[in-house]
Amino acid sequence: MKIALVGYGKMGKIIDEIATKRGHEVVARLKETPTAENLNNPDVVIEFSLPEVAYNNIKSCLENQIPVISGTTGWLEKKEEIEKIAVENNTAFLYGSNFSLGVNLFFALNEKLADLMKNVDEYSCQLEEIHHVHKLDAPSGTAISIAEGIFKHNPKFNAWKLEETQGDQLGIFAVREDEVPGTHSVFYRSEVDEIEIKHTAFNRNGFALGAVVAAEWIKDKKGNFTMKDVLGL
């Protein structure tokens, strides 16, 4: 495949390396706004940029009828608009708050646990995410996805908030520490014990590989997708 990378920071460089090893050709490495000219006619765009430019980056690619895989977090208030643009331009869009296989299995486990705990009033729920000090948004997109998985199964909660859980608002502690790639935990605490599920990333390679696998999967598809579609979860 011909792949254009929009956003060429740490993640972009790792994606470049993995895509090349898997036999793909990287035809553009952009730090600027993508256009029909500088994208160089790719089969798919992988977009890992910044929250403030993600919407315009993705919109430009979709309007040029190029499928987009996006892993940029912190802009999701405009995600519905992007999904409409993908449909209107007869192309495909896939957003992932986290492309790691392990994290997507963790999402499924989180939903199962939330369903088990929904009628057990003795336990309160709290989330925690830890990332490197360079991460610009808080909480992480992955933590928001975890919270949304809990909302889907547990009617006690209908929104998230930073810091501690209060009433129907599920709390998320967002910690920024050293060069941590990403650690996410869900706690259910009672007066007598605690249940915890946790995912710890050792490096960014798992995120990058998942993004390339998603790009391979989305070729020739139309519509809006998630990693659940890619992995058959």
Side-chain angles (χ1 to χ4, degrees), residues 61-176:
C61 296
L62 294 175
E63 287 178 344
N64 282 288
Q65 296 187 308
I66 303 167
V68 177
I69 305 295
S70 175
T72 306
T73 59
W75 64 276
L76 295 186
E77 69 281 356
K78 294 184 175 179
K79 181 167 170 276
E80 282 189 20
E81 292 177 40
I82 285 294
E83 290 175 341
K84 288 178 185 175
I85 292 168
V87 172
E88 287 167 0
N89 287 276
N90 195 36
T91 188
F93 175 66
L94 188 153
Y95 168 75
S97 60
N98 195 310
F99 285 93
S100 156
L101 173 61
V103 163
N104 282 278
L105 293 169
F106 183 86
F107 287 158
L109 179 62
N110 170 61
E111 289 194 27
K112 178 64 176 175
L113 182 56
D115 189 52
L116 290 171
M117 299 298 290
K118 66 185 177 186
N119 295 318
V120 187
D121 293 333
E122 289 80 5
Y123 289 84
S124 64
C125 187
Q126 179 74 42
L127 309 188
E128 180 185 76
E129 57 99 340
I130 307 171
H131 279 87
H132 50 84
V133 293
H134 316 290
K135 187 165 180 61
L136 298 178
D137 55 318
S140 68
T142 302
I144 292 171
S145 293
I146 292 167
E148 289 172 346
I150 293 171
F151 302 158
K152 192 187 299 184
H153 298 278
N154 192 330
K156 295 175 190 171
F157 302 109
N158 57 32
W160 58 265
K161 67 185 290 287
L162 284 169
E163 301 302 330
E164 287 196 38
T165 296
Q166 290 184 330
D168 60 4
Q169 294 187 306
L170 181 60
I172 304 174
F173 290 121
V175 181
R176 297 294 172 260

Side-chain angles (χ1 to χ4, degrees), residues 3-15:
I3 297 174
L5 302 178
V6 175
Y8 201 66
K10 290 180 180 177
M11 274 299 295
K13 289 169 184 172
I14 300 170
I15 291 168

